[in-house]
Amino acid sequence: MKAVIIFLYRYTMSRMVQCVKLQKEPEGLDFPPYPGELGTKIWQSISKEAWSNWVQIQTRIVNENRLNLADSRARKYLAEQMKQYLFEDQDIEAQGFVPPSP
């Protein structure tokens, strides 16, 4: 019974992080979203909300710039944009992106 309680506690409690992007303490990611040391850094200091925002921006960057993610240069470019957005507090957006009008 004790093992079941520990299991439920671990998987129902939210992990909070001090998000360096949003400058607040919201819910953290469930697992590192990126491989290696950078993924661990993201997992430790970026919230689900900030990561979700990045994923939306990344999608626009890939689409607007027609990036081929099989190309290592495109992946390197995205990784640099991600670091700037998440850790250097830069506003990143796809060139040519026009938000939909209400």
Side-chain angles (χ1 to χ4, degrees):
M1 182 68 172
K2 184 178 178 182
V4 171
I5 292 170
I6 291 171
F7 175 82
L8 290 174
Y9 176 78
R10 283 188 182 174
Y11 293 100
T12 58
M13 297 301 293
S14 298
R15 187 178 70 84
M16 306 304 279
V17 296
Q18 182 59 44
C19 182
V20 297
K21 176 65 179 172
L22 302 178
Q23 299 297 311
K24 60 183 182 178
E25 190 175 355
E27 186 176 355
L29 295 163
D30 296 328
F31 54 87
Y34 199 80
E37 207 172 291
L38 180 56
T40 301
K41 183 178 178 181
I42 293 168
W43 180 74
Q44 291 172 339
S45 57
I46 299 297
S47 66
K48 281 184 178 183
E49 179 184 354
W51 181 254
S52 176
N53 293 343
W54 163 249
V55 169
Q56 292 172 16
I57 292 168
Q58 175 181 261
T59 301
R60 291 191 296 267
I61 291 171
V62 170
N63 291 340
E64 292 293 327
N65 296 311
R66 296 181 174 92
L67 296 181
N68 176 0
L69 297 180
D71 184 349
S72 63
R73 293 174 298 173
R75 291 191 308 273
K76 184 177 178 183
Y77 171 74
L78 274 178
E80 288 302 316
Q81 297 295 301
M82 177 178 63
K83 288 181 220 174
Q84 290 175 6
Y85 177 77
L86 294 174
F87 299 109
E88 297 173 17
D89 200 31
Q90 293 188 21
D91 288 327
I92 304 294
E93 191 52 78
Q95 293 179 351
F97 174 72
V98 178
S101 56

